Amino acid sequence: MFGDKAFDLLKDLERSSQTIPAFDDDGLRQVLEEIKAIFEENVAQAQSQGQASSYTLLHFRHAALQRNKRCLLAYLYERCRRIKALRWEFGPIIPDDIKQALCEPEIQFFNNYSKSLAAYMRAVGDSQGIDLTSNLRPPKSLYIEVRCIEDYGKFELDDGEVIHLKKNSQHYLPRAQVESLVRQGILQHIS
Amino acid sequence: MDPTTIEFIGEKCMISIIPNFSSEPLHLIYGSVGPFRAGFPVFVPLWLATHLRKQQKCRIVPPEWMDMDILEEIKEEEKRSKFFTKMPSEHYMVVAQLVMSTAPDDVPRCEELRTVIKDIFDTREAKLRTSIDAFIKGEGTYAKLDNLTLLEIHSVRPILPWSLDHISRYQRVATASQRDTSMLGLNTTVGSSTVPGSSATPASLSNSLYTQ
Amino acid sequence: MAVNYFPHYYSIEDIFVTHEKVECKVNTKLQRMGFLDAGSETDHLEPGRTVNLPLWYIKELKVSNAYFTVCVPEIYKNVHKAVCEAETTHIELGRLHPYFYEFGRYLTPYDSNHVIGRIIFETLRQRVRYLLDISKNDVQSRSSKPEHRLDNIEANLHVAGTKTNTQYINWLQMCSNKICISQLVEEHQKKRKRADCSDDENDSHPASKRATL
């Protein structure tokens, strides 16, 4: 049936709703080919005379073409939506294995989005800027106790002090400066 | 809204503390507090009270309503009343939670109080759900939420407004498709049944006001 | 950020709904459309045959088109009685149809009895209390997702409701002030762990095969 291939693209996306599956170049191409084929058939039919009785077929094909287009656009749109979420959850750098699932224009999109967000965050908040990705909940204390989940290496605090973040080591650090590391799963907030 | 945000808002409530230190007034963004004199009670925002208490710099004076007799009475009144009764504080849950967890030693009969307050909240929450049900099944177009506190309102968000969105969406197709037919006895059979103790007017369940 | 479901052009959920097929009766001979009918012996679609057509096509047709008559699915007729008796909370809606409400919404214009619109409206109206209750109780009992009990719209509401209640319970237990690992990162780590595990399994497989050979 027309439109089934395009639908499969979306099914693939929905199956892994928490991640981004690999960009389906091939699937996309097949749908584009189907659109092209439908279009050419319709053009041929419209140009041939005395085919008024197959108007329904023309109409059906047209609906299928529009359907394919909608599925493709929804596929790209949903991926962009998830790519934007990556910026908020992973920070400005995407892990390599996720990056591999993106196509070149999508990586470009991420970078542009990241840049606009950074520019905006610099612009607000009395010329000092505000990091909108931090303090998602009202902070209760200036310092927090954290445990290191993986070897991270050296970490420099704002006051210049350098800390060595080694797996299983525990630290008492300024909340504001380590929040993103906790969000990224490198540190764990313990009470 | 996340309960942590509601807690943040509730932390602005003023509460009395007895400091064990003396100091000049503190000038904060929102205003000044103090001066502090050791042994003399002073009103400060809740967030400051818990902060000082954690550093052993004060004793918290529990608000008047944090008392077994008063709360038992509120609990009974809440059970008796069809409406939501007025709570002693707009943020009674937040105040109770913060005071009782940071300074359990400052509150006499702390554990018992905790249970009563939880009972009151649960009673009100159950009442809220019953009135929501009556509201949705009735023909009302709006409901008044007098005396509900912020935390209680947020216990049904966003599920309630979202459900109402959907209901009105399907109501539109229902009325559009039914405009010229008056078959189906749906209107008369649905709506007033199933709510325990409800009469024909759903407004009797809460102090919500309904319009036809 | 969570928002309520309100379908638009890019809504994947709406695309899923419109992918559903509906039984239609063919009214006139349709030239060269035999491919829609698996049992057709000619190139054309013959009058009197029934075919399953996707909603995305049907919604492009005029309700009073001369080619197809849309047959309203039995499921809506079947819940009619329950709706009248206000007994809908026992229905396993998800099992009936995964997109019970939205699918029904699309079919309302084709329903000559004008009941579907009323049915979906009343069904949801009757079930909101149930949704509020289970999203509270499911948090407390930590029970599994009620997949077959709920339709897609209801499942989304249920997720929102359980989230609210989980946040509240965490707050009561004073554990909501912790900074948490972000959701996507956590999923990503889990996935990586799973991948690592299955790699190990793959490595061990040839060994075990060799042993049995």
Side-chain angles (χ1 to χ4, degrees):
Chain A
M1 176 61 106
F2 290 137
D4 282 353
K5 277 199 201 92
F7 186 70
D8 287 342
L9 284 175
L10 295 175
K11 261 205 323 226
D12 186 37
L13 216 50
E14 276 305 279
R15 215 176 290 126
S16 42
S17 56
Q18 288 294 335
T19 50
I20 301 184
F23 188 80
D24 192 353
D25 240 334
D26 195 50
L28 217 71
R29 210 198 56 246
Q30 287 183 28
V31 178
L32 286 171
E33 275 165 14
E34 188 177 297
I35 292 178
K36 191 158 172 266
I38 293 173
F39 181 71
E40 280 166 1
E41 275 180 68
N42 266 4
V43 169
Q45 192 188 324
Q47 280 167 350
S48 62
Q49 298 297 309
Q51 289 270 16
S53 57
S54 27
Y55 165 76
T56 325
L57 176 59
L58 198 84
H59 182 240
F60 180 80
R61 286 214 208 92
H62 186 71
L65 189 150
Q66 295 290 349
R67 171 71 176 183
N68 275 324
K69 179 177 154 190
R70 184 181 179 196
C71 291
L72 284 187
L73 290 173
Y75 179 72
L76 298 176
Y77 179 85
E78 172 66 16
R79 288 181 63 92
C80 281
R81 214 179 57 78
R82 290 189 196 174
I83 290 166
K84 282 198 272 186
L86 287 180
R87 173 62 186 82
W88 291 84
E89 306 247 328
F90 284 90
I93 295 155
I94 331 174
D96 276 341
D97 52 335
I98 294 186
K99 207 168 187 168
Q100 277 164 17
L102 308 184
C103 66
E104 195 46 50
E106 283 177 334
I107 293 172
Q108 195 60 47
F109 173 79
F110 177 85
N111 291 336
N112 289 342
Y113 180 73
S114 191
K115 263 184 228 157
S116 330
L117 184 66
Y120 177 70
M121 292 196 297
R122 268 197 310 277
V124 290
D126 285 342
S127 75
Q128 293 174 25
I130 291 178
D131 183 0
L132 295 173
T133 62
S134 72
N135 285 328
L136 298 176
R137 291 197 185 123
K140 292 294 264 184
S141 54
L142 290 174
Y143 280 77
I144 57 169
E145 183 98 35
V146 289
R147 182 187 295 125
C148 207
I149 302 286
E150 53 184 79
D151 284 319
Y152 181 76
K154 282 183 183 144
F155 180 67
E156 192 179 337
L157 297 175
D158 286 354
D159 60 7
E161 195 191 343
V162 176
I163 296 165
H164 202 74
L165 296 177
K166 242 183 92 186
K167 192 171 176 176
N168 290 328
S169 60
Q170 288 194 17
H171 308 269
Y172 191 62
L173 296 171
R175 183 192 161 104
Q177 290 173 52
V178 296
E179 184 176 359
S180 64
L181 289 179
V182 177
R183 300 257 304 148
Q184 286 159 35
I186 291 154
L187 299 176
Q188 187 190 18
H189 184 178
I190 50 177
S191 40
Chain B
M1 222 189 302
D2 198 304
T4 53
T5 315
I6 295 165
E7 178 183 300
F8 182 75
I9 296 169
E11 279 178 322
K12 276 192 190 162
C13 293
M14 300 301 275
I15 193 163
S16 174
I17 59 164
I18 298 171
N20 54 18
F21 64 96
S22 298
S23 125
E24 292 297 297
L26 289 172
H27 301 292
L28 306 172
I29 296 175
Y30 98 106
S32 301
V33 286
F36 300 92
R37 281 195 296 152
F40 286 90
V42 59
F43 273 95
V44 298
L46 185 55
W47 62 265
L48 186 62
T50 52
H51 184 76
L52 291 172
R53 181 66 178 78
K54 274 182 195 157
Q55 299 182 343
Q56 316 282 340
K57 287 193 170 147
C58 72
R59 203 155 54 77
I60 292 178
V61 184
E64 252 168 53
W65 54 265
M66 233 179 251
D67 170 271
M68 216 46 206
D69 294 341
I70 295 178
L71 286 172
E72 281 290 356
E73 189 153 317
I74 290 175
K75 181 178 149 187
E76 289 313 311
E77 178 62 28
E78 190 64 56
K79 277 187 187 161
R80 255 198 317 270
S81 172
K82 291 180 283 191
F83 308 136
F84 293 103
T85 59
K86 188 159 171 50
M87 286 292 107
S89 156
E90 159 70 3
H91 293 286
Y92 72 102
M93 281 295 280
V94 174
V95 174
Q97 167 89 340
L98 286 174
V99 171
M100 290 177 178
S101 59
T102 34
D105 299 341
D106 298 355
V107 187
R109 300 169 81 181
C110 183
E111 280 311 311
E112 287 168 75
L113 288 176
R114 211 191 279 268
T115 315
V116 184
I117 292 172
K118 184 84 186 6
D119 285 350
I120 295 173
F121 184 84
D122 289 345
T123 309
R124 289 166 66 85
E125 207 196 9
K127 202 186 273 185
L128 178 60
R129 278 188 286 160
T130 310
S131 13
I132 285 171
D133 191 50
F135 169 62
I136 287 176
K137 285 176 181 163
E139 299 290 323
T141 50
Y142 75 98
K144 260 166 100 174
L145 300 172
D146 284 7
N147 293 337
L148 276 176
T149 65
L150 198 56
L151 187 70
E152 290 159 348
I153 291 173
H154 277 274
S155 69
V156 287
R157 272 188 184 163
I159 183 170
L160 176 63
W162 286 7
S163 304
L164 293 175
D165 281 351
H166 289 302
I167 289 173
S168 79
R169 192 170 138 80
Y170 300 133
Q171 185 170 29
R172 279 198 296 275
V173 292
T175 45
S177 70
Q178 236 192 352
R179 201 155 286 152
D180 48 359
T181 46
S182 48
M183 44 189 311
L184 261 166
L186 282 174
N187 261 335
T188 50
T189 46
V190 178
S192 53
S193 55
T194 68
V195 187
S198 76
S199 63
T201 48
S204 65
L205 275 160
S206 69
N207 55 344
S208 314
L209 285 178
Y210 300 91
T211 57
Q212 282 299 117
Chain C
M1 242 159 276
V3 282
N4 197 9
Y5 173 68
F6 200 80
H8 52 84
Y9 187 76
Y10 300 113
S11 298
I12 294 191
E13 277 164 308
D14 187 57
I15 294 178
F16 270 71
V17 178
T18 46
H19 188 74
E20 294 290 319
K21 300 217 165 51
V22 193
E23 208 178 86
C24 295
K25 230 177 85 209
V26 182
N27 293 331
T28 53
K29 183 172 174 175
L30 294 167
Q31 298 282 343
R32 292 165 59 205
M33 288 187 74
F35 66 93
L36 287 174
D37 181 3
S40 173
E41 283 154 14
T42 65
D43 208 14
H44 313 294
L45 207 51
E46 303 294 337
R49 305 281 306 181
T50 47
V51 285
N52 284 323
L53 297 177
L55 211 48
W56 56 256
Y57 172 57
I58 293 171
K59 74 191 185 75
E60 299 301 321
L61 288 171
K62 284 206 181 77
V63 174
S64 56
N65 75 86
Y67 320 116
F68 301 104
T69 307
V70 173
C71 309
V72 171
E74 293 291 321
I75 48 164
Y76 294 99
K77 289 177 206 155
N78 294 344
V79 295
H80 188 184
K81 188 166 169 279
V83 170
C84 289
E85 288 165 359
E87 292 281 343
T88 49
T89 45
H90 310 294
I91 300 175
E92 298 198 314
L93 220 53
R95 193 163 286 172
L96 223 49
H97 197 283
Y99 301 100
F100 180 82
Y101 296 109
E102 287 295 310
F103 187 57
R105 189 175 174 274
Y106 275 112
L107 293 177
T108 38
Y110 305 97
D111 172 29
S112 53
N113 294 323
H114 305 283
V115 291
I116 292 189
R118 203 76 209 162
I119 285 171
I120 55 173
F121 166 58
E122 294 293 352
T123 308
L124 184 57
R125 210 152 84 123
Q126 287 174 21
R127 281 167 67 95
V128 168
R129 170 66 188 260
Y130 170 66
L131 287 171
L132 285 170
D133 287 347
I134 60 168
S135 50
K136 187 172 169 63
N137 299 337
D138 285 359
V139 175
Q140 278 157 357
S141 62
R142 293 173 200 282
S143 63
S144 57
K145 273 193 178 172
E147 266 131 9
H148 53 271
R149 286 185 283 166
L150 306 180
D151 119 302
N152 180 55
I153 293 276
E154 292 180 336
N156 286 341
L157 293 172
H158 179 256
V159 168
T162 43
K163 194 179 162 208
T164 304
N165 285 308
T166 314
Q167 281 178 340
Y168 169 67
I169 286 173
N170 285 344
W171 177 76
L172 272 187
Q173 294 166 350
M174 306 282 288
C175 44
S176 54
N177 281 310
K178 266 193 191 171
I179 309 171
C180 299
I181 182 167
S182 66
Q183 219 185 340
L184 281 182
V185 176
E186 199 178 11
E187 287 297 322
H188 178 239
Q189 284 181 347
K190 272 192 213 151
K191 200 178 140 200
R192 219 164 44 187
K193 263 188 208 139
R194 273 201 300 272
D196 289 349
C197 287
S198 60
D199 278 353
D200 292 347
E201 272 169 34
N202 288 342
D203 288 345
S204 65
H205 263 306
S208 59
K209 257 183 203 159
R210 242 174 276 139
T212 47
L213 282 170

